[in-house]
Amino acid sequence: MTPAQHGDPSHPGPKPRLPAWTATLTWKAAVFITVMCCTLAALLGALVHVSVSDQTVGQARDLALDRLDEATEAYEAGARLGPLAGVDPPHLPDSLRRLAADGERGTMVSSGAKQPTMWAAGPIDRNRVLAVEVDYSQGARTIDGLDKAIVGSSVLAIGATLLVGAFAVTRVTRRLHATARVARRISGGDLDARVGDPMTRDPARHQDEVAAVAGALDSMASSLQRKLLSEQRFTADVAHELRTPLTGLHAAAELLPPGRPTELVRDRVAALRTLTEDLLEISRLDARSERVDLDDNWLGPLAERVVRASGTETEVVVVRDVCVLTDRRRLERVLGNLVANAHRHGRPPVVLTVDGPVITVRDHGEGYPDYLVEGGPQRFRTEGGAKGHGLGLTIALGQAEVLDASLRFTNAEDGGAMATLTLDDQQP
């Protein structure tokens, strides 16, 4: 159990992560639009609220001051004050009372016991205060209704903006997803895949950034396809052109008198013929013109035949034998290349293990180089001056793809290279 499981604060557990969908551009755009709409709605609502409130309060204040002037004239003339005016009324707010007692006139909105009221007060003789009150309930209702209208319209505006924004962003993200799918197909070997964005079909039409990316991807795929096809044609042409002179050279080598020089010549001619056949096979694999000949095959006996044909000391371990529907010739080609590579570049013991539809070939050498484990075999590549892996693993990988099987190259934890071939588990 780790320290974090014991509750050690110095080893906190993994930080919680947001769901995967929060990383999408649609979600980020929705959050951005929502925040901006809410900010804009709050700013406009505050401006409208302040403007209308100032206007409403100003009108009520002017009316209250006019009535205060009338009440002051009536008080000085000794006339009777109106019903909404009085001297030192008990409900007058204390702050306004103190202001008037100090000789100033002022107004103030107060939430009275019954309804909102606009007070206006001013000083009279003997430090007394004359005040009038004006009904402010209509103004308060106006401001309250305005606030509700602002909130409602803001919610509707935000919702409508989110719908329009989501529609626009979804169109963009859908095009981006289509471009990403095509890029993955191209990286998987489907060089005929194209985005075909509608905006790229008319060169005179203005293109957005997504169309520019899609057009660049299509151009890159077309250029890459042309180069690969050119290389494939070159490889096939070279192999075909070498075949005829090598056949004559092989026949001439057979006529040489026995001896060490003759053996060397025959060995090199055989190596050239093998290389030529490998190049032809790779050209067919690159052209994707290979077709499988399916039949029922027990993997245990097939693995033993491959080892016998290789003439190597390879241990065959059958953990669980199964009968699968596959192309025997191509499967033997894959396993033969793996066994040959293990003996050529690894160290004994070499073990071929059959465990159901999974076949592994392992040696006990230094293991595969890092580039091969990470990116798969590359033709004739060498690393650090060491001897390269030639075409054997490349052909094995290509034939495995024809069989619709998975071939992985890894290094065992206790040393040695390990190739794992996983066949279709569909039994006949």
Side-chain angles (χ1 to χ4, degrees):
M1 185 175 292
T2 62
Q5 291 173 314
H6 285 291
D8 187 354
S10 62
H11 296 81
K15 295 182 179 180
R17 294 185 178 181
L18 295 175
W21 58 267
T22 59
T24 60
L25 183 60
T26 303
W27 184 83
K28 293 178 180 178
V31 172
F32 176 76
I33 293 173
T34 302
V35 172
M36 293 303 298
C37 287
C38 291
T39 302
L40 183 61
L43 180 61
L44 293 178
L47 292 175
V48 173
H49 173 83
V50 171
S51 177
V52 174
S53 296
D54 290 345
Q55 182 179 1
T56 304
V57 171
Q59 292 175 352
R61 180 183 295 112
D62 293 340
L63 178 60
L65 290 175
D66 290 341
R67 291 186 179 179
L68 179 62
D69 291 339
E70 295 174 358
T72 301
E73 292 176 358
Y75 178 82
E76 292 176 350
R80 184 177 179 181
L81 298 176
L84 299 179
V87 178
D88 293 330
H91 300 298
L92 182 66
D94 294 337
S95 58
L96 185 59
R97 186 187 303 275
R98 288 192 296 272
L99 179 66
D102 292 337
E104 301 289 340
R105 302 180 67 189
T107 59
M108 183 178 180
V109 177
S110 172
S111 299
K114 297 181 179 180
Q115 60 188 11
T117 302
M118 171 65 76
W119 289 92
I124 54 177
D125 55 345
R126 301 176 186 176
N127 294 327
R128 291 190 299 171
V129 175
L130 177 63
V132 297
E133 56 180 313
V134 175
D135 183 11
Y136 188 67
S137 58
Q138 181 62 38
R141 286 194 296 269
T142 299
I143 296 176
D144 184 62
L146 175 66
D147 291 341
K148 293 180 179 179
I150 290 175
V151 172
S153 60
S154 297
V155 172
L156 291 177
I158 292 172
T161 305
L162 274 176
L163 291 177
V164 175
F167 174 74
V169 172
T170 301
R171 291 189 61 188
V172 174
T173 55
R174 187 162 50 242
R175 294 165 62 197
L176 288 175
H177 285 310
T179 303
R181 285 195 300 269
V182 171
R184 285 191 289 268
R185 289 173 57 189
I186 294 173
S187 65
D190 184 6
L191 298 181
D192 293 326
R194 297 293 184 272
V195 179
D197 193 286
M199 296 186 67
T200 62
R201 296 172 184 172
D202 186 5
R205 183 179 179 182
H206 293 291
Q207 298 181 1
D208 57 11
E209 288 77 2
V210 179
V213 172
L217 180 63
D218 288 347
S219 299
M220 180 198 70
S222 299
S223 176
L224 181 62
Q225 187 177 36
R226 287 194 298 270
K227 290 181 180 180
L228 289 178
L229 289 176
S230 177
E231 292 180 0
Q232 291 171 9
R233 284 194 298 269
F234 175 77
T235 301
D237 292 343
V238 168
H240 280 291
E241 291 297 327
L242 286 175
R243 211 173 190 182
T244 300
L246 280 176
T247 302
L249 186 60
H250 177 74
E254 294 296 328
L255 299 177
L256 293 175
R260 181 59 180 167
T262 300
E263 293 178 1
L264 292 175
V265 170
R266 290 176 179 175
D267 179 69
R268 292 301 87 195
V269 170
L272 283 174
R273 292 190 66 182
T274 301
L275 178 59
T276 303
E277 295 298 329
D278 288 346
L279 289 174
L280 286 172
E281 185 173 359
I282 284 180
S283 66
R284 292 193 298 269
L285 291 173
D286 288 340
R288 300 181 182 274
S289 59
E290 299 285 67
R291 295 293 181 268
V292 294
D293 183 13
L294 300 178
D295 197 3
D296 300 342
N297 293 273
W298 286 93
L299 296 184
L302 186 146
E304 294 174 354
R305 286 198 304 271
V306 169
V307 171
R308 285 196 302 270
S310 68
T312 60
E313 294 183 2
T314 303
E315 180 183 358
V316 178
V317 178
V318 179
V319 179
R320 180 170 62 93
D321 197 5
V322 293
C323 183
V324 298
L325 189 64
T326 187
D327 189 321
R328 178 185 58 81
R329 182 180 62 85
R330 297 185 188 279
L331 181 56
E332 290 178 349
R333 176 68 162 155
V334 174
L335 296 181
N337 282 13
L338 295 178
V339 170
N341 183 82
H343 283 279
R344 184 178 300 115
H345 299 285
R347 287 195 298 267
V350 176
V351 182
L352 190 154
T353 304
V354 177
D355 187 0
V358 180
I359 305 174
T360 59
V361 177
R362 179 191 174 181
D363 61 57
H364 290 74
E366 297 180 357
Y368 294 121
D370 293 338
Y371 78 86
L372 194 150
V373 174
E374 295 174 0
Q378 301 178 20
R379 302 170 189 181
F380 300 112
R381 172 167 177 173
T382 58
E383 194 78 6
K387 184 179 179 182
H389 283 260
L391 300 177
L393 295 184
T394 303
I395 293 175
L397 183 60
Q399 293 290 5
E401 292 178 354
V402 174
L403 294 174
D404 198 19
S406 170
L407 179 58
R408 295 188 304 111
F409 301 96
T410 58
N411 290 322
E413 295 182 358
D414 54 348
M418 178 181 297
T420 303
L421 177 69
T422 304
L423 297 167
D424 188 1
D425 198 17
Q426 181 180 359
Q427 301 182 12

